Amino acid sequence: MKKILGISAFYHDSAACIVHGDEIIAAAQEERFSRIKNTSKFPVSAIQYCLEEAGFVIDELDAVVFYDKPLLKFERLLETYYKFAPRGIVSFLKAIPIWINEKLFLKKLIFDGLKEVGEYSKSKMNLLFSEHHLSHAASAYFPSNFKSSAILTIDGVGEWCTASIGYGNKNSIKILKELHFPHSLGLLYTAFTYFLGFKVNSGEYKLMGLAPFGNLKAKETQKFIEIIKSKLVKINDDGSIWLNQKYYNYATGLNMIKTKKWENLFGFKIRNPEDKINQNHCNLALAIQNITEEILIKMAKEAKDLTGSENLCMAGGVALNCVANSKLLEKKIFDNIYIQPAAGDAGGSIGAALATNYIFFGNVNKKSDRDIMKGTYLGPSFSEKEVISMNKKTKAVGSKFENFNLLSKTIAKKISDGNVVGWFQGRMEFGPRSLGCRSILADARNLNMQKKLNLKIKYREGFRPFAPSVLTESAYEFFDLKVDSPYMLFVANILDKRKSELPSDFHKKDLWDRLYTKRSDVQSITHVDYSARIQTVDKNTNPKYWDLINEFKKLTGYGLIINTSFNVRGEPIVCTPFDAFRCFMSTDMDLLVINNFIYKKSDQIDCENKEKWKINFKTD
């Protein structure tokens, strides 16, 4: 069995993965160790963790594989500047020296980075490079249980490719069709992310969360859709698109768009990150979300026509748009859909390793019903000894429970009483979602919990929705959900019997009045359009988390709770017990659970001194 290290780095969301034969042994994002969100730095700590978890040293590896081909990317950069010349001279003068001094010599950067990890023999190193969208395709197809499948990858841009349709069969992946830069659905969505005041390459999910506050029937929204389709993007029947570069600046500039032209098009100023959100922002977010769904569905139909497959695998950053995924599911173009839970660049490390294992080395792809992503629980776990060490270092006061079921009963009662709980168990999740191992938990029935979590715990925009974790066997009691959703990659509507009657003037109210109007008996996970982004929790995949929710169900009759990522705004999800305790102490969380220890805020030294524990995090 081959031992393969996959690496993604130098752009955003650096990560590492170890594959041994058919098993993904470990995978982690560098941001979790460096505490720099979305870091692009070489993933030294992530690699060290993966090697330690697997019990390997670098010289034992059969291959080290990088997730894209830098020379092709450099070729695209040069051709783009040449094509748009003399425009882009400022960007050219900034970008080219970086490429010449650093990224053009990527092999040296990788070799140097691996030296920081540990000693190795360079002559023994088998260093490979996978094409970017092949890495995405492999990250989705090989972990799926499909023996053959259509594959759709969509992101901002790889080398040249921005979207691809492929076909996976046994050990092979064949790319059938590609969309090339500068025409990109990912970059189109990111342009609107930028215009509406959210951070490029990380704030796209905020745009998706804002869209339901828009009114599709409003004349303004329909006007926005018409403007986008007539001025900014041409949509073809096969899902390919053409972006009018007169309005964009990402190809050769230092930002995404030509701001003045967009302001003239839509009739309002670009929104700054801390500006008030108005209805026109909501309507524009809904307009581009609607168009994104239309394009994705056309691409999927083309993938169906080209492959004839009943199965679809998806990856790339756009595959994290769970609202669009659910619209695709509703169309029933495919019988089965599998989406890589770490669909962005971090997941490219897994895809590169799997592509090397099955395509380069030709190892037999033994498809089975097991989830080789292991619920995404691929990161580090921490022993009781390490937790006790953290207790001594921080002077944390905790109570140890020998019986975990008693702990679950205790925490279920605390959640039902309105407490907010930090939940730290087992191996850390890989990818952008907390799925019950590094999570903040609360009671979805509480009318004020969304406001409390956003403003007092997460320190983030108040409109942001929260997701439910629901027992797989209880999902039908709350949601019109057609498939299991273990990775929070689909949304579904609340059942009618759960809904509250809305006032007749609901749609005329402003964003905040609508947000705080009661909509259902699980108010704090019900978005304003009655939808929810769902995680179904299986007893076999995460037994401790299932046990907690089950105890909550026994107590309340509700087999679901709020689950949000264990971090605050601008901070990566917590990795270590110390990260968890620091985050707990810097917020208004009431309780913290780490393994078998429970910590009450009121028991801690300086429990009111949040500033002592705060860290000002920066993105890389």
Side-chain angles (χ1 to χ4, degrees), residues 306-330:
L306 290 175
T307 65
S309 179
E310 299 301 324
N311 305 316
L312 176 66
C313 295
M314 293 174 60
V318 175
L320 293 172
N321 191 312
C322 56
V323 178
N325 295 342
S326 300
K327 295 292 176 64
L328 177 58
L329 194 67
E330 288 173 8

Side-chain angles (χ1 to χ4, degrees), residues 4 202 259 288 389:
I4 303 164
S202 65
T259 302
I288 189 56
S389 175

